[in-house]
């Protein structure tokens, strides 16, 4: 794929990935065929900041984990009322990273 298109994608979507994943994303995009550009443009990633806000206001119900696709953890948080409040506080620090990891997983599942 054209390096200019890859650079544009990276500028627009770098916030959705962990910093140590950016090189892998870039390398994979550079090796893709031009016909895949439409698929690349239509990929939807979860916003880490939105996950944090939802975690702060509705984390005790597990909605943040359901939103990013961690159904098992969402059910666990729902049934324990956020781990009696402890799990909620821990997730305030972890949810953005978990969202970025899920975005990378989505990216990998699309192209690998």
């Amino acid at each position: 794929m054209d390096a200019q298109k890859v650079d544009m994608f990276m500028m627009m979507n770098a916030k959705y990935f962990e910093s140590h994943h950016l090189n892998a994303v870039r390398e994979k995009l550079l090796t893709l065929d031009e016909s895949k550009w439409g698929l690349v443009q239509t990929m939807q990633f979860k916003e880490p900041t939105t996950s944090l806000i939802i975690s702060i206001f509705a984390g005790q119900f597990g909605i943040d984990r359901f939103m990013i696709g961690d159904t098992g953890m969402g059910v666990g948080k729902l049934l324990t009322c956020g781990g009696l409040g402890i799990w909620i506080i821990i997730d305030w620090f972890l949810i953005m990273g978990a969202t970025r990891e899920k975005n990378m997983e989505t990216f990998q599942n699309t192209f690998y």
Side-chain angles (χ1 to χ4, degrees), residues 18 48-49 51-52 91-101:
E18 292 283 349
T49 308
S51 297
L52 177 63
D91 249 1
W92 292 346
F93 298 99
L94 299 179
I95 194 69
M96 289 180 74
T99 304
R100 289 184 180 114
E101 290 291 332

Side-chain angles (χ1 to χ4, degrees), residues 35-69:
S35 63
K36 301 281 186 184
W37 180 242
L39 178 62
V40 170
Q41 287 181 314
T42 59
M43 290 181 72
Q44 297 290 316
F45 299 110
K46 305 283 192 228
E47 177 67 47
T49 308
T50 304
S51 297
L52 177 63
I53 293 168
I54 290 172
S55 183
I56 290 170
F57 292 111
Q60 68 269 20
F61 304 117
I63 295 172
D64 52 346
R65 290 296 180 162
F66 285 119
M67 187 185 89
I68 66 171

Side-chain angles (χ1 to χ4, degrees), residues 24-40:
V25 171
R26 182 177 174 73
E27 292 301 317
K28 183 59 182 173
L29 289 174
L30 286 171
T31 61
L32 286 178
D33 188 17
E34 281 294 323
S35 63
K36 301 281 186 184
W37 180 242
L39 178 62
V40 170

